[in-house]
Amino acid sequence: MSTPRGTGGVQAAFAGLRGPLLAAGLLAGAGLLDLAGAVGSTREVFIVITQEGISRIDVTGWAWLHAGIAAATVLAALFVVTGHRRAVLTGMVAAAIAIAADLVAFPFVPWVETLAIGLNAVALRLLYVYARTG
C-alpha cells in the first residue's frame, strides 16, 4: 500500500528527527512532573524524629530551585525539537542537571522523582545516541 500523494516529503523530513522529538517529549514530561512535585513540596511540612528530639525541615528554597531547574528543562525540551547539535547538547546538559536535582529531592517526593529520573535518563540516552549518529 502506498502513502497518499504529498505526504512522503513530510515523512522524509521528520524521519531524522524521531529521536529528538521523542527525547523532547520525555524531557518536557519530566520537567512538568518535576515542576508539579517541586511546587507541591513547598506546601508540605517535613519532620525528622531523632534521639535528640523532633526537627522541622524547611525545603522551600530547595523546592524553588528545583522548580527553576524543571522550567529550564522544559525550555531545553522545546529547543531540542529543532534537532540542531547545540540543542541536543543543551538537552543533554539539562537532563543531567535535572537528574542530579531529582536525586537531591528524592527523600521528599520519592515517587515523583523516580518517574522523573526515569524519563530524564531515557531522554538523555536518546539524545546521546542521536548526537553520536547525527
Side-chain angles (χ1 to χ4, degrees), residues 44-122:
E44 294 183 24
V45 176
F46 296 100
I47 297 174
V48 177
I49 301 173
T50 62
Q51 295 286 342
E52 289 80 32
I54 298 174
S55 299
R56 183 177 175 269
I57 298 176
D58 185 19
V59 294
T60 305
W62 288 105
W64 285 112
L65 177 67
H66 197 84
I69 292 170
T73 303
V74 172
L75 290 176
L78 294 175
F79 189 41
V80 165
V81 172
T82 63
H84 295 296
R85 183 171 293 274
R86 284 188 183 153
V88 171
L89 292 175
T90 302
M92 290 172 69
V93 169
I97 292 172
I99 288 173
D102 290 338
L103 288 172
V104 169
F106 182 79
F108 302 106
V109 278
W111 291 106
V112 172
E113 300 307 333
T114 302
L115 290 172
I117 288 170
L119 291 174
N120 281 317
V122 172

Side-chain angles (χ1 to χ4, degrees), residues 12-40:
F14 285 110
L17 290 177
R18 285 186 182 152
L21 285 176
L22 179 58
L26 292 172
L27 272 178
L32 292 174
L33 189 64
D34 274 343
L35 193 58
V39 171

